[in-house]
Amino acid sequence: MDLRSDTLSLLSPGMRKAMAEAEVGDDVWGGDPTTRRLERWCAELFGKEAALFTTSGTLSNQLALRVHTRPGDEVITDTKYHVNFYESAASAGLAGVALNTVDSADGVLTPELVEFALRRKARKPLYAAPKLVCVENTVNFHSGRVVPHDSLRALRQHTLGAGLATHLDGARLANASVAAGVSLAEFADTADTVSMCFAKGLAAPFGSILVGPAELIERATVHRSAYGGGLHQSGVLAAAALYGLQHNVERLAEDHHNARLLGELLSQHPAFGVELDSVQTNVLVVDVSGIGLPASTFVRAAAEDGVLLAERTPTSVRAMTRLGIDEAAIRTAAERLLALADRVKGPVAVA
């Protein structure tokens, strides 16, 4: 039972069939009909003028940084957002921007934090000029937290007043949409550009979408080719993304249910620390310090029992639910993890 990431979903027979039957052309020459259909669909779905199919969420984010800024500009974001935690080197090397990061308590970037970032540095012509704010939804490092639509809307009003553009890294925005009952278009209305991955909860093998104003997307297309991201017969992969949008969005609620179920089952053992209120989508973070093992050691022991987890911190692990992991598998995984805790820590006393 591999719970390390939702990127580990395997292709369903229906998705394989859609890929095999996809009508293809050469996307670099503007002639792949399935890719064009995906991009038109996403532009309408998000309420934006245009969309661009990219290889990954990282590429979508980096293209957004490139079209919103010039080398030497500043981007304000949260320290634990993907664009900083995993992409800081790419942001400097590709877009040439400086990241001005703040530490939110819960992963929600607020107008107050943006204002703090703006005011804590000297603002002179020789220094980096703030041009862009990057937000994330859901927030991976905060247990898949959904940033409320009202919070994003308030942030958007502030950034507009400050003359700043906004990019929403929505790698798992479909999860946020299902969990919050807020449409993708409503979330997208809080940012100039938005990215969303197909290879996570939507269970496609590849790809991301970047949506926004037509002029910015046209420029992003040029940079995509410069970064080596141009695709030829991309319709095979676009067909998988389309299938995911058509069949795998509403089912994300199952993943959310299963993540909470796993948390509820593990919380029965005092050695596991679970904050159930933080389990809003498909991410469960469990404190294993009560077991008396480092998280890395616990992960190895769990793997020997057939449950694959990801180390989050030296004292915590992450489990991520996905297509292919049903409720029965979750209950089996919980049984094995509870048994592991009993072997190491001792069984739970029964009143």
Side-chain angles (χ1 to χ4, degrees):
M1 287 160 287
D2 199 336
L3 297 168
R4 291 175 297 168
S5 175
D6 51 5
T7 62
L8 292 159
S9 301
L10 299 178
L11 295 178
S12 66
M15 185 174 285
R16 287 179 179 272
K17 184 173 186 292
M19 295 172 71
E21 296 176 353
E23 182 183 4
V24 298
D26 190 318
D27 190 48
V28 172
W29 291 88
D32 188 278
T34 306
T35 300
R36 296 285 83 77
R37 185 157 63 95
L38 171 65
E39 291 171 339
R40 288 193 300 269
W41 183 312
C42 287
E44 183 175 349
L45 189 64
F46 285 87
K48 297 296 186 183
E49 289 182 339
L52 180 67
F53 188 39
T54 75
T55 58
S56 67
T58 295
L59 180 56
S60 286
N61 287 341
Q62 289 304 311
L63 292 174
L65 262 60
R66 188 65 185 268
V67 300
H68 283 298
T69 66
R70 294 184 300 177
D73 285 344
E74 179 182 293
V75 177
I76 297 171
T77 192
D78 189 284
T79 303
K80 291 186 176 179
Y81 286 171
H82 196 282
V83 73
N84 176 65
F85 202 88
Y86 293 109
E87 300 178 43
S88 57
S91 301
L94 296 175
V97 296
L99 298 181
N100 183 0
T101 63
V102 295
D103 293 300
S104 64
D106 54 6
V108 178
L109 191 60
T110 63
E112 292 77 17
L113 286 170
V114 170
E115 196 62 26
F116 169 76
L118 289 170
R119 293 181 179 275
R120 71 176 170 181
K121 298 175 65 177
R123 298 299 176 188
K124 297 180 180 180
L126 291 177
Y127 302 153
K131 292 294 177 65
L132 178 67
V133 172
C134 280
V135 294
E136 182 176 313
N137 203 14
T138 65
V139 187
N140 182 16
F141 266 84
H142 285 274
S143 303
R145 178 186 176 90
V146 177
V147 180
H149 182 252
D150 288 347
S151 297
L152 291 171
R153 188 166 52 189
L155 180 65
R156 173 65 165 167
Q157 291 174 347
H158 188 79
T159 57
L160 286 173
L164 302 171
T166 302
H167 171 64
L168 172 55
D169 174 3
R172 295 182 174 88
L173 193 60
N175 291 86
S177 176
V178 170
V182 176
S183 71
L184 292 173
E186 288 174 300
F187 274 128
D189 193 47
T190 65
D192 296 280
T193 54
V194 181
S195 61
M196 189 179 78
C197 288
F198 301 117
K200 294 183 168 65
L202 300 186
F206 174 96
S208 170
I209 200 74
L210 177 66
V211 299
E215 185 269 334
L216 291 183
I217 297 302
E218 184 176 356
R219 287 166 52 196
T221 304
V222 175
H223 293 304
R224 183 187 68 172
S225 293
Y227 290 170
L231 304 170
H232 294 285
Q233 284 75 32
S234 56
V236 173
L237 298 166
L242 277 167
Y243 186 93
L245 286 172
Q246 293 165 347
H247 296 90
N248 292 340
V249 174
E250 295 304 320
R251 63 147 301 278
L252 292 174
E254 299 173 18
D255 296 342
H256 303 169
H257 165 78
N258 287 336
R260 185 171 182 85
L261 174 62
L262 182 59
E264 290 172 346
L265 294 171
L266 294 184
S267 66
Q268 296 174 8
H269 201 295
F272 289 119
V274 179
E275 295 182 9
L276 287 176
D277 289 344
S278 69
V279 186
Q280 299 179 347
T281 54
N282 67 324
V283 183
L284 174 68
V285 175
V286 181
D287 187 334
V288 296
S289 59
I291 292 179
L293 297 176
S296 57
T297 304
F298 180 81
V299 166
R300 289 195 295 271
E304 291 175 359
D305 288 347
V307 182
L308 302 184
L309 303 167
E311 180 183 353
R312 168 61 69 173
T313 70
T315 60
S316 67
V317 299
R318 184 190 75 181
M320 190 171 288
T321 52
R322 59 177 175 83
L323 180 66
I325 301 291
D326 60 14
E327 183 172 322
I330 289 296
R331 292 186 181 277
T332 300
E335 289 173 3
R336 294 182 184 182
L337 294 175
L338 289 168
L340 172 58
D342 282 345
R343 291 201 305 272
V344 176
K345 188 69 176 176
V348 180
V350 179

